[in-house]
Amino acid sequence: MSKHTETTYATVPLPAGFPDDVALPKFVIELGQRFEDAGYELALVGGPVRDMFLGSNVTDLDFTTDAKPEAIQQILTGWAHAQWDIGAAFGTIGARYGDWIVEITTYRDEKYDPDSRKPEVVFGTDLIEDLRRRDFTVNAMALRLPDFELIDPFGGVKALVSGVLETPGTPQQSFSDDPLRMMRAARFAAQLGVTVSPDVAEAMKDMGSRIVIISAERIREELVKLMIAPKPRRGLELLVASGIADSVLPELPALRDAQDDTHRHKDVYEHSLQVMDNAVEREADYFDAPNFVLRFAALMHDIGKPKTRRFEAGGKVSFRHHDVVGAKMVAKRMRELRFDKDTTKAVARLVELHMRFYGYGDGEWTDSAVRRYVTDAGDLLKHLHALTRSDVTTQNKRKARRLAAAYDDLEARIEQLAEEEELAAIRPDLDGQQIMEILGIKPGPLVGRAYKYLLDRRLDEGPSDFEASKQTLLNWWAEQPEAQD
């Protein structure tokens, strides 16, 4: 994604149908002229063209050309401030012009062997054929430069207007060439608010099992894009309805089998989607941008329920420890999808903590309870605030107001105590070195046990001075078997 300032934009003579206020960076015309002077074609293609039709100024600049990578590099020499080989074997050269990053790719035709994760790339010579290989008609449009001639051979504009996602060729051929396109269909449903055509929906159901040949890393990237889109529910419902979720996120469709007696008006699957919807709406109260960790934790917070469901006397249904079980399950799934350790740990921790608020009941929060809540959440406190509030989906308005008021009180208590103590950095009143000096012991597990004991006392009773803390430590030490050795 490029960085830019307003001065880099210029109004260009775009074809009829584009919004009047859509702008492009000034150098696009110049770049198109350079390719034309060298005897080659150049066109702005795919997402940028689609986004301009939707009224957005472009932030990514993707171009396609009949020039081979070596020729692209020659044309860019003396014009670009820097250039690099993104993947010459795939025909893509990257360049920087000012603060902008552009990618230029040779016309190509790529297909997947039925059992391979890697495409076979063949360079092409025709723009229409290059567009034909693309995933969906909304991405199979181009603006030929430098004259900005719209090339839309497969009805991409019509698809945008109607809000229906279609493929340039048959969806069966498109998904056979690259099965990841089925996940992209779900992502675009979430991102653009479109639906898929009946043919695309049918092909996704018939061919969904082919998604298993795609690498976990590529699946993860599409899942993240879907989750941070404006309407992630639409994409997730499409993945579940098509059966693709059974392969990439099986914990989600499994929720349909865990009827939750606590949420009689909806099953756990619907409840989880609603919690995620609530998190999407509420995240602006805590974050400046779409937050994947919050949204994914909201979606997955109850995935431990199917494994922990028990039928109690009187027809009641319980899900004891589903938070702990769910945390382990989501961590396992995210590792399989090759998420980084920090993101995985954050989501799993939120799933583990999502019931913590309800464990305190309706009573007044003590200082000790507040300290433990903040300490357990750590850097995820804002996420936990948003998740806990989002988890209220009851249709009982009186109950919803009571829970909201209770959480308002908790946040107020946190703010009040934070003014008195450094809640975000609560530590025992004695550090490890002091513990060793007072007890006359060497580094080892015993120091850790003493540290944990002092931390628990700190959380329960608040801060104390050195002498009082020292006496607390000595009292604890007197009861330890090691002290008798």
Side-chain angles (χ1 to χ4, degrees), residues 133-137 139 166-168 174-175 181 184 188:
R133 73 168 180 83
R134 295 178 181 267
D135 51 6
F136 302 104
T137 59
N139 295 327
E166 298 177 322
T167 54
S174 180
F175 299 157
R181 290 173 175 175
R184 287 192 192 133
F188 286 127

Side-chain angles (χ1 to χ4, degrees), residues 69-310:
E70 298 81 3
I72 296 174
Q73 291 174 316
Q74 291 177 359
I75 295 170
L76 293 177
T77 300
W79 175 82
H81 299 133
Q83 61 172 290
W84 54 91
D85 180 352
I86 294 178
F90 294 90
T92 302
I93 302 298
R96 178 177 62 82
Y97 187 90
D99 291 332
W100 286 86
I101 301 298
V102 302
E103 292 185 6
I104 304 175
T105 302
T106 305
Y107 297 157
R108 63 192 188 190
D109 182 18
E110 59 186 32
K111 296 182 179 180
Y112 275 81
D113 180 272
D115 299 317
S116 174
R117 290 183 174 185
K118 297 182 179 180
E120 176 186 355
V121 177
V122 178
F123 293 148
T125 59
D126 183 76
L127 175 58
I128 303 300
E129 292 306 311
D130 180 80
L131 296 176
R132 189 188 304 277
R133 73 168 180 83
R134 295 178 181 267
D135 51 6
F136 302 104
T137 59
V138 296
N139 295 327
M141 300 182 289
L143 283 177
R144 198 191 299 272
L145 302 172
D147 299 325
F148 293 97
E149 174 190 1
L150 176 63
I151 309 298
D152 182 21
F154 305 107
V157 173
K158 179 182 177 181
L160 281 177
V161 172
S162 62
V164 178
L165 204 62
E166 298 177 322
T167 54
T170 66
Q172 290 79 7
Q173 183 61 56
S174 180
F175 299 157
S176 179
D177 288 347
D178 185 355
L180 188 67
R181 290 173 175 175
M182 293 184 286
M183 283 204 65
R184 287 192 192 133
R187 190 242 294 182
F188 286 127
Q191 182 177 323
L192 305 178
V194 297
T195 59
V196 298
S197 71
D199 288 346
V200 169
E202 182 179 359
M204 290 176 70
K205 289 182 179 179
D206 292 343
M207 304 178 66
S209 60
R210 273 185 52 76
I211 199 70
V212 298
I213 75 168
I214 301 299
S215 70
E217 290 81 2
R218 295 184 71 205
I219 290 174
R220 178 199 66 217
E221 291 305 311
E222 283 300 322
L223 179 61
V224 170
K225 291 176 182 177
L226 185 159
M227 289 300 303
I228 62 174
K231 300 178 179 179
R233 174 192 275 259
R234 299 187 67 151
L236 292 166
E237 288 179 330
L238 181 55
L239 289 179
V240 172
S242 65
I244 294 173
D246 294 336
S247 297
V248 301
L249 202 63
E251 296 81 5
L252 182 58
L255 291 176
R256 294 177 297 182
D257 300 327
Q259 185 64 40
D260 184 347
D261 188 61
T262 303
H263 305 284
R264 291 185 177 89
H265 57 284
K266 59 174 73 71
D267 61 23
V268 184
Y269 171 71
E270 285 296 330
H271 167 71
S272 297
L273 290 176
Q274 184 59 57
V275 173
M276 183 195 64
D277 285 343
N278 293 347
V280 171
E281 294 181 5
R282 190 175 293 279
E283 70 185 353
D285 295 337
Y286 297 94
F287 305 101
D288 296 329
N291 190 285
F292 171 80
V293 168
L294 169 62
R295 294 184 180 196
F296 199 56
L299 177 68
M300 306 292 277
H301 76 287
D302 274 347
I303 62 170
K305 283 190 171 180
K307 283 191 174 183
T308 59
R309 182 176 61 171
R310 298 290 184 272

Side-chain angles (χ1 to χ4, degrees), residues 389 403-413:
R389 289 184 179 277
L403 289 171
Y407 208 85
D408 288 342
D409 179 65
L410 171 58
E411 287 204 52
R413 293 284 293 111

